[in-house]
Amino acid sequence: MKTINNVVCSFCGCLCDDIEVNIENNKIVNVKNTCSLGLSKFLNYDKHRILKPRIRKSKEFVNVSLEEAIDECVKILSNASYPIIYGWSNTSNEALRIGMEIAELIGGVIDNTTSVCHGPTIIGVQDIGESTSTLGQVKNRADLIIYWGSNPLHAHPRHLSRYTALSKGRFVKTRKERKIVVVDVRKTATASIADIFIQIKPNSDYELLSALRYAVNNGEIEQNEVAGVPVEKIEELAEMMISCKFGALMFGLGLTMSPGKHRNIEAAIALVTDLNKYTKFVILPMRGHYNVTGANNVTCWTTGYPFAVDFSKGYPYYNPGETTIADIIARGECDAALIVASDPISHLPIESARKLSKIPIVTIDPHETPTTKISKVVIPSSYVGIEYEGTAYRMDGVPLRLKKIVDPPDGIISDEEILKMILSKLRGD
Amino acid sequence: MIKVILITGRSLDQGTSKSIGKFSKEYMEKLAICELDPEDLKSLGIESGQNVKIKTKYGEVIVKAIESKQAPHKGIAFMPYSMWANLLLGSSTNSSGMPTFKGIEADIEIVKEGKIMDLNELLEEKIGVI
Ligand code: SF4
């Protein structure tokens, strides 16, 4: 049995880098240090795999060679007048970098799943800037942590033990020295272990953030409650925020997906900016998929924009609300799609999924999903961080190297290698 | 029938069962559900584990009603992100780039007939492929 240490978990944006994996005969037999999400991925990655490239011919799928599948993909992409290229948060930066070249070459729109998770966060940050730090700083220094619209015990289970409530920092060492506040519409698992839980009415985050800003700026709120929260509680929280030494506001999709969207984020960032008049305060998004942050970064370094980049004019053009995937599909404008490491049929509102199903889709993915089932071409790939190496960005923007720990099934290559083949065919190399 | 605000979101079960496989029994069991406050279950006159129909102005779906472990949240129904939940969402982003996945008005009623569709049935019935 072989043991590999310091493996990075490729499930959520925490990218825990202390995983121990035991391997026997090219099979993962034991995993230590992950949460149940990571454990489930490491122990099940080899199930429900697609092992052969396939093309849909009339109603039925037919297994084909990799070359044939690539040829069909190239045909579909070259014949399209407004193709979309989407996914990317579950693969490496290296794969996406090739994807960017493909998008430019075919004049398509390239977008990543940020579009339907923290897109509003990015718009908010672009509008007014942000006060940020690494998770290491939070672990070592933060004595006040606020989780807003985020339930890390379900979505990022080790966030609390590695970076916040239960972590041992250099200057803030114990749980007692940290105050944890949870703001949410439900008393989530995370809320149950917080010092203070603030239950807010759905769709009223903007109001509560504004009231907090008012209180932080010494205003007297002339109401009994805001967003279902008694004013005394709002004032108490404002006081806690002002008087902490280092505060961190960690927010999730509760803020980005609720009405208000990027306005909610702007209000949260503005609150943190106000707090920096009194103390040190940072704001960090809780990013979901393991490399969604990398998808933003690679898109940014290649085009200047973080997601939803449209190359149809011959240069990168970005306008969320217009060039975002959800809008393009809802308007029925795209006529082909290349999907990499993502399952939009499961994750878009039904009407959009229906529209997407009407155009030829090429999907590159290791396993079977509703999107692979309705695709015209399916090319199976290997898992980055298990069967192939690559770089990913942790949720705070720190890049980490993902290892190859076992061999992929016979004939299965990585997203990066498949995309390189597509690119070179498109170029006519 | 009760009126609720529907919130869709991540759950631990969604994350673990997704790795087991989207067409697995576990995935359907853990995702074709709706978590309700105990008081809302009572007003519907049902027990945890019974099927309900959820309807919004965009669509409807039958799922299993489960007593929420993250209560109290009277008037709020929670569904994990999935195709079952997405049948209830609108595709417009109001020019924001992001569809509204949280905070949607919905009606919930008990169903006498009708069953929970699996993903293959949803693909066939609601998307029209396969
Ligand atoms: S918290 Fe995230 S990265 Fe860490 S072990 Fe769990 S799933 Fe993996």
Side-chain angles (χ1 to χ4, degrees), chain A residues 59-189:
Chain A
K59 280 220 134 188
E60 298 298 312
F61 276 118
V62 179
N63 287 346
V64 294
S65 68
L66 180 60
E67 287 67 28
E68 245 180 285
I70 301 269
D71 283 348
E72 186 66 22
C73 165
V74 166
K75 203 161 90 194
I76 290 171
L77 294 180
S78 330
N79 287 341
S81 55
Y82 196 52
I84 52 173
I85 307 192
Y86 176 73
W88 309 107
S89 48
N90 269 330
T91 189
S92 67
N93 296 336
E94 291 80 0
L96 175 54
R97 203 187 61 71
I98 315 288
M100 299 304 302
E101 280 188 60
I102 295 178
E104 184 173 16
L105 194 68
I106 62 174
V109 177
I110 187 156
D111 198 1
N112 56 67
T113 60
T114 297
S115 220
V116 288
C117 68
H118 275 282
T121 302
I122 289 177
I123 301 169
V125 170
Q126 287 180 319
D127 281 352
I128 62 170
E130 66 179 331
S131 314
T132 186
S133 74
T134 60
L135 286 168
Q137 292 280 19
V138 171
K139 168 186 169 163
N140 287 322
R141 298 172 192 273
D143 57 343
L144 173 65
I145 286 129
I146 301 172
Y147 286 111
W148 192 309
S150 163
N151 181 12
L153 280 184
H154 275 230
H156 312 85
R158 293 183 74 214
H159 198 267
L160 290 106
S161 57
R162 277 174 59 89
Y163 306 115
T164 65
L166 309 168
S167 66
K168 184 169 182 279
R170 181 154 178 211
F171 305 109
V172 183
K173 295 194 166 68
T174 60
R175 172 70 179 90
K176 273 201 208 109
E177 292 169 62
R178 303 193 201 259
K179 283 268 172 296
I180 308 294
V181 177
V182 168
V183 182
D184 214 309
V185 293
R186 298 175 303 146
K187 190 165 193 221
T188 59

Side-chain angles (χ1 to χ4, degrees), chain A residues 104-308:
Chain A
E104 184 173 16
L105 194 68
I106 62 174
V109 177
I110 187 156
D111 198 1
N112 56 67
T113 60
T114 297
S115 220
V116 288
C117 68
H118 275 282
T121 302
I122 289 177
I123 301 169
V125 170
Q126 287 180 319
D127 281 352
I128 62 170
E130 66 179 331
S131 314
T132 186
S133 74
T134 60
L135 286 168
Q137 292 280 19
V138 171
K139 168 186 169 163
N140 287 322
R141 298 172 192 273
D143 57 343
L144 173 65
I145 286 129
I146 301 172
Y147 286 111
W148 192 309
S150 163
N151 181 12
L153 280 184
H154 275 230
H156 312 85
R158 293 183 74 214
H159 198 267
L160 290 106
S161 57
R162 277 174 59 89
Y163 306 115
T164 65
L166 309 168
S167 66
K168 184 169 182 279
R170 181 154 178 211
F171 305 109
V172 183
K173 295 194 166 68
T174 60
R175 172 70 179 90
K176 273 201 208 109
E177 292 169 62
R178 303 193 201 259
K179 283 268 172 296
I180 308 294
V181 177
V182 168
V183 182
D184 214 309
V185 293
R186 298 175 303 146
K187 190 165 193 221
T188 59
T190 312
S192 308
I193 60 155
D195 298 290
I196 297 182
F197 168 48
I198 295 183
Q199 192 157 16
I200 177 180
K201 278 195 194 139
N203 302 345
S204 54
D205 303 84
Y206 190 87
E207 284 85 339
L208 184 57
L209 287 161
S210 304
L212 271 168
R213 282 191 73 192
Y214 196 58
V216 163
N217 289 309
N218 293 320
E220 205 171 301
I221 303 166
E222 291 168 0
Q223 311 247 358
N224 295 331
E225 60 164 57
V226 177
V229 183
V231 162
E232 308 77 68
K233 222 165 175 179
I234 298 174
E235 284 166 348
E236 183 196 349
L237 179 57
E239 190 43 47
M240 262 172 98
M241 290 168 123
I242 289 170
S243 55
C244 75
K245 288 205 189 89
F246 185 120
L249 174 55
M250 317 280 197
F251 67 98
L253 303 185
L255 270 194
T256 67
M257 284 182 167
S258 300
K261 312 216 170 118
H262 60 279
R263 298 288 180 217
N264 296 335
I265 312 306
E266 285 169 12
I269 296 174
L271 169 64
V272 168
T273 306
D274 290 345
L275 286 161
N276 274 292
K277 284 189 284 194
Y278 303 97
T279 184
K280 171 81 184 164
F281 225 100
V282 295
I283 180 161
L284 284 161
M286 300 288 288
R287 306 302 305 269
H289 289 308
Y290 77 84
N291 197 27
V292 64
T293 310
N296 294 138
N297 277 277
V298 176
T299 311
C300 241
W301 6 286
T302 44
T303 67
Y305 302 118
F307 66 108

